[in-house]
Amino acid sequence: MEERNNTTTPATEAKKCSCGWGAFVVGLVVALILGWWVLPNLMKETKKQPIAFSHVEHVQNQGMTCEQCHFVRADGSFSGTPTTAQCAECHFTVLGSNPEEARFVREYVQTGREIKSEWLVYQKQPDNVFFSHALHFGPLAELRGPKETAAFCSKCHLNVAETDVPPVYTENRLSGYSENTMLMWGCERCHAEHMAMGNTNASNACFTCHK
Amino acid sequence: MSSEVKQFKIRWGMVIDIDKCTGCGACMVACQAENNVAPAVDGSNKLRSLNWLTVFRLSNHKPFPDHEVAYLPRPCMQCGKPSCVAVCPVIATDKREEGGIVSQIPPRCIGCRYCMASCPYHARYFNWYDPKWPGDLAQALTPDVSTRMRGVVEKCSFCHHRFMKAQEAAVAAGRDPMDLPDGAYITACTEACPNGAITFGDLNNPAHKVHELIKSPYAFRLLERLGTDPQVYYISKREWVRREGDNYLEHEKTGEATKQG
Amino acid sequence: MDYSKPVDAELFPEGCERCSLTKFTGWMSILGVIFLWGLYAAVRVLGFGLGETGMDDYFGFGLWITFDLAVIALGAGAFFTGALRYILNIDELKNIVNLAAVIGFLCYTGAMMILVLDIGQPIRCWFGYWYPNVHSMLTEVIFCITCYCIVLILEFVPLVLENRQLMKRPFIHALAHNFHVYMPIFAGIGAFLSTFHQGSLGGMYGVLFGRPYLFREGFFIWPWTFFLFVLSAVSSGPMFTVLVCTLMEKMSGRKLVSWDVKQLMGKVGGTMLIVYTVFKCLDSWYWATDLLAGQGLTFDQMFHGWIYGKWLFWMEHAFIIIPMVVLLIKPLREKPWIFYLMLFLTCASITINRYVLTVQGLAQPVMPFDSWYSYAPNWAEWASCFLVFAYAAMVLSLAYRYTPMFPQEAELNRK
Amino acid sequence: MDRRGFLKFAAGGTVGLVASPIIWNTLYDAVYWTQNWGWIPRLKKGESEYIPTVSKLCPSGTGFVVRTVAGTPVRTIGDKNNPVTHGAMTALAAAEAELRVSPARLKTPLRRSPDGAYVAITWTEAETLLKQKLQEAGSSVAAVSGDPTSSINEVLTSILNQRGSSDFYFMPDEEQPAAVAWEAMGGQGRLGYDMENSDCILAVGAPVLESWGVVAANRSAFNRTHPVAGEPTQKLLYAGALQNNTAAGADLWLPMKPGTDMALLLGVAHLLIKAGKQGFAAGLANFASFAAAYTPEKVSGITGVPVARLEAAAKALAEAKKPLVIAGSALGAGGSAGPVMVAVAINMLLGSVNREGGLVDMPFPVSVVAHATEYRETMRKRFVNYTQAVAAGKTKAPALLLVYAANPLYSLPADSGMKETLSKAGYSIAVASFMSETCEACDLVLPAALGMEAFDDVQTPYGSGRVTYALARPVAKPFAGARSAGELFIALAQELDLELGVKDMPELLYKHAYALGAPFRAMMDEGRVFTAKTALPASPLFYNWEAIRSAASARGAEGDIQVAPVVVLGMGTAQTAIPPFATKVVTDYQLKGKYSVAQMNSATAAKLKVNAGDHIRLVAGNNVEITVVAAIFEGILPDTVSLVAGLGHTAFDQFSKGKGSNVLALTSVCREPGTGLPVWGLAGVKAARA
């Protein structure tokens, strides 16, 4: 190899070299496309919510507050999304003209099927995470109205308050995590500051968030 | 290797009166149910049955009829100077949070079992297989403690989720979550013990019963001489029981040697 | 083509004879069967969990850790011989340093294989790098062992490249040459990494203050076991290399390394053995008479029944004291069988040491009301260790057959 | 592309991949995958509720709060507001939420097909079959209940009575011999024990802290009288062959050979009489002279209790202000009446009858269902007499045998005739919650709801010193196809046009509450529990020394080695078998793999030439042979081995099946002299290394 190189002219050597770098660049570009776009997309799976629930209808048109469905219970636990029974407090029969509502009444309220267990939670956390809404709600009482509440909640959640159809839910095929799931570093960022959200109790100790 | 004992404002601790324990096992059942410990088909192999809390039977080693028996429930000691925390290569176990409970996070654990080797109390258990809840048993899982997977170590957490819940309830009620009244947070075993042998509370808080109990002349801790500084105390009026709590040379007396530890 | 030679003769090192390819394939097949048996055990362990082994909550460490520690100690010939050859320039060692490097490579990669099985969640193994606990001796071990393993691969590669046919390619020739130029650097890095993790492996036990059988005081952050492990590794490593070399000679029927080189290796190991023996005995004495008493325990309480009897303790000590003395006496060490026996005893003592620290150290009940339990490795643990043996034997056989591992071989066997 | 080009392409690709997130993200995703493996159950989310009720599986009617999450019970926690058990739990009650969904739970009615296999049938089919079989049987119906505290028994007795059958029985229990003894001594009400107010309790044979009486209440009393690190306000003396759980809590252990309870009690009586404790009643002189033969030395010889401890026990009782003596059996069934008679006599000597902290003469539970048999009457009948008579052909086999909440095939000795009765019965029906041995032998199996799934009640259990009444309220839907047994029987009666006077379970419970003057609404809505100190006019008690004398003439057990059975509630009852969570509570000195463990002291082991861990063969008088593993424990009498009860199940699930041997297999039924009670629990065996 060394001997042969010695016999080639500088021009051909340069040519060879550039051709070689071309292969490198092609490889690089292909891999980058694969690694940044193709493969990550292959890992993703999109899912639809069981019912095209409209926050706009409930909040803006019907004037409901957030707390009517999402509230802290007396023991400090958070209700999350409402159960079929809670929905049925109003929707015991079809109230409007939306076909989705009619379907909800037909398929859930009348059959007793549980919407809460089917609803896809965008911010879904795995079982090993302990998250207390109450402990994060320090300043919530001072918030006024749905707009301000939504702004506060959307520090972590998707801001769904102004959506007419639920956003697409995207999940990783391997981990099963939602695209919007806050990962540990996201939690740790606030927990590292002792006065985040006016609370001095949030440390980054493992047991603060894991169960 | 952290050689210093960490200081906490709150130190959750347990006082177990051995003279009151009769070894019925209600604490062990409650512990398994509360913490989603999977049942074992063959629980008679004690070296392979995962139990955060185990009741040992103690003997005064005298022949019949002078023999005496006692039972000693052994949760995790939540050591002030834990031998396990220093050795874990991936910080799956730590003692950092206010309250001084030694955390064990199975999702972080890589399953090297070094912590098990380090713990003289055998408080740590390994998931040799994936946990199984045959039939419909999984329906009875509580929402409080995540299920584990094979290949990770787990141990008693002093029902840490109950601490979180107590804090949550305190915040919801507008009270200080860092100043819980006595009894606002107790472990499942404390709650289940029919004989009231277990008392739980903040060892540092004079308003909590345990604060006084640990000053009893009959109080002792397991293997104090090793310097692990456990947050679990035992009480027995029987000298032989206290002597079973640590290693003593023939001429040594119980009260003296422990002080130097 | 010369039909009197095996069909793959072109690949053999210059001037060296090898057995027929059929015979070789037969030998490799036997190893392959053992390998597959071990692989079956490994698949079961990875697929179902560590419940497939004989370990339990009292014996979280067992045969595998003993095996790892032993092979890592015995594989220490690689770094120590390498350091002496490339850094201190003891030239004669070039005749055995290749073998030492291959053995080191095999011991470390083998240990890594077992470790992958031994940790419950191998998919999370990179946590050791990503979320390291800097206080843990094991973190140091993980860092150093993986790094050193890479170094050993780099040391092994040139030997492969030196195959007669491969060397005909100028590029590979040049590459192999470059590797040789950098070998002192590898040897240096290797020596540093290896010393540290040999020590950390010992430190792993010494720091366990909850285990009176294992706990040792020490110097700065390192317990005495840290230093004892380094010393025991550097004394047994070269000896193990000589033993493997001799075994290969017996099996192949060819002389591979001259007696002088072996004696030199023995001298190196033996010198280190003197240091080790002195410190080991001091350590045991202090532990038995002072350290234990401080924890309210007696020497007798550390032993129980037959399998945990004192015989292991005395044997461990005898097997370093006797070789130390015998190797000092010239007429004795010059008799090959005595020489080899003494090397073997030393290696056995180090293996016993790793075993008692691992198994007996955990078996000794610390709580007075606890009991001694026994541990017996099951077939899956043995099989996976044999997997490593088979793997090592296969690689060693290939290396012997096709690479110029022994520079003296052609000359020693000239008729 | 040549080889060099390809190599460069590959190099570029490698650099590109390393520089893109896919590898690193996949490393993380793979770890997330291991953290949330799909084959490991995930946690349920939902609202937690805490609902107080009582356990029907635990014989002591433990009061607990059931925690439900989204409607499913996940935990049972001691109910501090329960005035009977004060929050004390038993290991069995603590496992009830899991037992509810255990693999042994019956999910659907099962009918035995001609080929012997079970076929799942619907409830409609089952009810039709039940009605049809009952109609066919006419008056030839027998029924046995293993739940004496439930008012569902009244519905059953009413049905049987109206069909013309009087063959309703309770399973043998601790109360039956005690009732005989109390009656023999002149007692007119029901025997009760005010343990919590006593300052010194001598329990002979009765493991009061583990299985005797209202265990949860006993334990809670023990708790309150033994402050942490403080001075106990109650002394507990326990006589038994083994240092069991009760002995561990006792201040003094009297190591007593199995079956020598009477001699020990007579010895204590003698010492107390000598010490001047001579509570007067008719027959005192005769009793005293009979007891005088039981000198400490003689008693020590018979029982094995050292003289000093016997005297210490008598002294403690004599010095106590409110002493109480309790006699009972280790097994909880098949005990003799004799020891209870002497225990009553001692209490009489001590003046401990109808006194706070003493024996209580209590009213019996009253029936409210029309045509029902009174509790007291049922308590007088002996199921084993019936089954043995049927087995021997002395009594006609029933055309229909109904077994409710009981597992007689497991919990009665082999020669009790139960097996023969079941096979001779025209048709057999089991109403149970778990697939027991008895269920497996019945023609029709009906899945019953648990206490936390249906309306039921706990009327004063035996051992209590007060009248108590608690309701079991449904806090969750019945599991799978289970149904309330009470509602099932009421519906059956209605189908057969029988008169009950109640239309459903709530009405039945209401009538009971009303009869007791209990606050039904509060009990129903809030889970409150009713208790009352209802004292009867003092019974004309007397020292029935003749009855005592004949009972004392019972033969002791034969065989070289005595077996001391141990009942541990954590291992479940005959109806539940070992709860899934209890397998880890079972110790290595109770069970080893598939063998029961026999504990013995080192002297016994030396005599038998066995070491710990050796297999030994035990051969009982009835030639039943079992193999057990030896364990050395010094807290047991010489020539005695202890075996834990509750093992050796052949039915239920993987948590119970094929583990150890059933102690009851070693026992045989015999009759107590004088009272004629069928008794067992005495098992002398021959032992040898296997």
Side-chain angles (χ1 to χ4, degrees), chain B residues 40 42-51 54 125, chain C residues 57, chain D residues 583-584:
Chain B
D42 179 13
S44 76
N45 178 1
K46 296 300 164 195
L47 304 188
R48 275 275 182 105
S49 55
L50 205 162
N51 252 324
T54 299
Y125 293 85
Chain C
D57 290 327
Chain D
T583 60
K584 294 179 187 173

Side-chain angles (χ1 to χ4, degrees), chain C residues 166-410:
Chain C
L166 288 177
M167 279 292 266
K168 284 183 181 161
R169 296 173 183 278
F171 171 73
I172 289 177
H173 189 100
L175 193 64
H177 177 74
N178 280 337
F179 265 112
H180 271 291
V181 171
Y182 294 119
M183 210 46 100
I185 295 174
F186 294 151
I189 297 172
F192 173 79
L193 289 173
S194 195
T195 312
F196 254 89
H197 78 246
Q198 294 284 3
S200 300
L201 282 171
M204 266 181 69
Y205 288 110
V207 296
L208 299 183
F209 61 88
R211 297 282 182 179
Y213 189 94
L214 304 171
F215 175 66
R216 295 293 189 280
E217 288 156 330
F219 170 72
F220 192 39
I221 59 164
W222 299 292
W224 297 130
T225 48
F226 182 98
F227 307 100
L228 289 175
F229 263 53
V230 177
L231 289 172
S232 60
V234 294
S235 50
S236 64
M239 297 187 179
F240 183 69
T241 311
V242 172
L243 286 177
V244 172
C245 174
T246 310
L247 182 70
M248 289 172 77
E249 286 178 339
K250 298 285 176 223
M251 287 177 76
S252 64
R254 293 173 62 82
K255 290 198 85 69
L256 302 174
V257 172
S258 69
W259 176 245
D260 294 344
V261 174
K262 287 187 184 173
Q263 286 271 303
L264 176 63
M265 287 289 275
K267 209 173 275 175
V268 167
T271 314
M272 299 319 295
L273 182 61
I274 297 172
V275 186
Y276 172 60
T277 308
V278 168
F279 281 107
K280 173 72 193 171
C281 292
L282 282 175
D283 172 73
S284 298
W285 176 259
Y286 177 68
W287 169 75
T289 57
D290 213 84
L291 205 53
L292 285 175
Q295 290 160 331
L297 289 159
T298 62
F299 179 65
D300 288 348
Q301 281 174 293
M302 295 294 114
F303 304 92
H304 178 80
W306 189 83
I307 51 165
Y308 299 124
K310 283 184 191 149
W311 63 275
L312 273 172
F313 178 85
W314 296 122
M315 201 158 96
E316 184 198 338
H317 286 80
F319 282 9
I320 46 176
I321 295 168
I322 296 168
M324 178 189 79
V325 175
V326 171
L327 290 175
L328 279 173
I329 303 167
K330 203 170 180 213
L332 288 178
R333 73 164 174 259
E334 283 182 346
K335 284 205 175 64
W337 73 271
I338 293 182
F339 178 69
Y340 294 138
L341 180 67
M342 291 308 121
L343 302 194
F344 177 77
L345 289 186
T346 308
C347 292
S349 169
I350 304 309
T351 309
I352 293 170
N353 173 260
R354 303 309 193 247
Y355 167 77
V356 292
L357 286 184
T358 308
V359 176
Q360 188 156 359
L362 298 187
Q364 194 269 318
V366 191
M367 294 186 290
F369 48 84
D370 208 351
S371 324
W372 287 85
Y373 289 98
S374 60
Y375 155 78
N378 75 352
W379 74 272
E381 287 166 274
W382 285 116
S384 30
C385 290
F386 275 96
L387 169 112
V388 172
F389 284 136
Y391 149 80
M394 283 159 100
V395 174
L396 210 50
S397 303
L398 286 168
Y400 162 71
R401 192 172 174 87
Y402 298 122
T403 69
M405 215 171 10
F406 300 102
Q408 290 175 303
E409 187 189 355

Side-chain angles (χ1 to χ4, degrees), chain B residues 165-178:
Chain B
K165 278 194 187 169
Q167 291 183 62
E168 199 176 51
V171 165
R175 291 191 309 267
D176 180 5
M178 284 293 116

Side-chain angles (χ1 to χ4, degrees), chain D residues 214-227:
Chain D
V214 198
V215 180
N218 300 351
R219 283 243 180 82
S220 110
F222 178 81
N223 179 12
R224 281 170 285 142
T225 53
H226 290 72

Side-chain angles (χ1 to χ4, degrees), chain C residues 145-185:
Chain C
I145 288 199
T146 41
C147 292
Y148 184 49
C149 204
I150 294 166
V151 171
L152 281 168
I153 293 169
L154 293 176
E155 288 188 30
F156 181 55
V157 167
L159 188 66
V160 176
L161 298 180
E162 278 173 24
N163 173 282
R164 190 142 59 102
Q165 296 303 322
L166 288 177
M167 279 292 266
K168 284 183 181 161
R169 296 173 183 278
F171 171 73
I172 289 177
H173 189 100
L175 193 64
H177 177 74
N178 280 337
F179 265 112
H180 271 291
V181 171
Y182 294 119
M183 210 46 100
I185 295 174

